[in-house]
Amino acid sequence: MKAICYNCERSRSGIENICPNCGSFFTLKPDFKFRTNLKENYPYVSDFIYLGEVETPILNLDGFSLKLDYFSPTFSYKDRGSRVLVSYLKGILSERGITKINEDSSGNAGSSMAAYGRKAGFDVNIFIPGKTMQSKVNQIKSYGANIVMVNGTREDVQKTAEKANGFYASHVLNPEFRDGIRTLAYEIFMQSEHMPERIFVPVSAGTLLLGLVSGLEHLMESGEINQIPEIVAVQTELVSPLYSEVQKVPFIDRPDKASIADALVSKRPLLIKPMVEAVKKYGKCLTVSDPEIIKARNDLALSGVYAEYSSATVLAAYRNLKGNKKSLLVLTGNGLKTP
Ligand SMILES: Cc1ncc(COP(=O)(O)O)c(C=O)c1O
Ligand SMILES: [Zn+2]
């Protein structure tokens, strides 16, 4: 694997998650051909934590398919990233005598990191915004993690976690989390007779988008697919920094208003540059409104699919996008997580 700084391309020397040369973040890229035994695509993980993960199902509905990526131990796609990051940290932090990990999250990544972190034997602190949904707080607690509630912006929560005693196991900064999401691309490839022409994903911090793109690029470079599907990145009208950057329109923050899509809250994503690059290279970014999201979530429920509002954004976007490309919509979180 190549581990280099996104900005200055300096090689990562250890477990630092900020480049000492320029302050940017690191990225990982496979330098070998795709392997059908998925674990072999992670040579830096020697011992995978197992919480009963399965290949998540693809459901074919009328005119489009859904990748039910919440069929996962903590009921969100985040488990792909946490599994790889925590399995890696388990080996490397124990050698250094570090037993405590800190993570900041608006809910789902917190649950996921708490579950995998605990299974790996770490003491886990999850820093959350004051307004986090009680159902998500309860889930994090159930894994025995310590919750630290921070009042202020999402960025304030991050800064507090960063400064805390222990290893900052940020799912955004540690490249192994994003890298773990490559498995989503591999599964789609292995489950599909013909690859979808369009893939819809909800976007907040950008780890899902970037991990998916990295996996698709790996398949392409390995000669397994001959085209990367068009990627449709979906944001809410209220929290649309990626959309604004791509469209070159100002993003107007409305701190007084929150979207029903409670997981899509990154207003200043650290990974914005590669996110913009990915969207410009492979697709587009769309926004959807709260009424569209609510309708999409309720319609999904009537099809037997109970997803989070944040996840149902992809159906709302699919409905707004013209054309009849073979589409796959990634449903990222189970609806029982939100009221
Ligand atoms: C259910 C759900 N969907 C989508 C996302 C967006 O993922 P990312 O932050 O990697 O862009 C999140 C992130 O919290 C999430 O919890
Ligand atoms: Zn650098």
Side-chain angles (χ1 to χ4, degrees), residues 77-78 106 108 202-208 263-264 308 310-311 332-333:
Y77 88 91
K78 304 272 183 186
S106 59
N108 289 335
V203 174
S204 181
T207 66
L208 173 60
L264 308 183
E308 281 198 44
S310 301
S311 309
T332 48

Side-chain angles (χ1 to χ4, degrees), residues 189 194-199 215-217 219-221 223-231 281-282 325:
F189 165 64
H194 302 289
M195 279 296 273
E197 294 164 302
R198 249 183 201 156
I199 302 180
L216 291 170
E217 285 179 337
L219 290 169
M220 178 89 176
E221 285 157 15
E224 301 285 355
I225 57 175
N226 52 25
Q227 202 181 348
I228 302 234
E230 183 186 1
I231 303 292
K281 196 163 177 193
Y282 297 120
K325 287 194 174 175

Side-chain angles (χ1 to χ4, degrees), residues 3 38 42 45 63 83 99 108 111-112 143 146 157 168 176 200 219 221 229 259 282 317 319:
L38 296 193
Y42 295 90
V45 176
R83 186 181 190 204
T99 56
N108 289 335
S111 281
S112 184
Y143 301 116
N146 175 40
V157 184
Y168 182 40
E176 291 80 12
F200 290 70
L219 290 169
E221 285 157 15
S259 166
Y282 297 120
R319 287 174 165 170

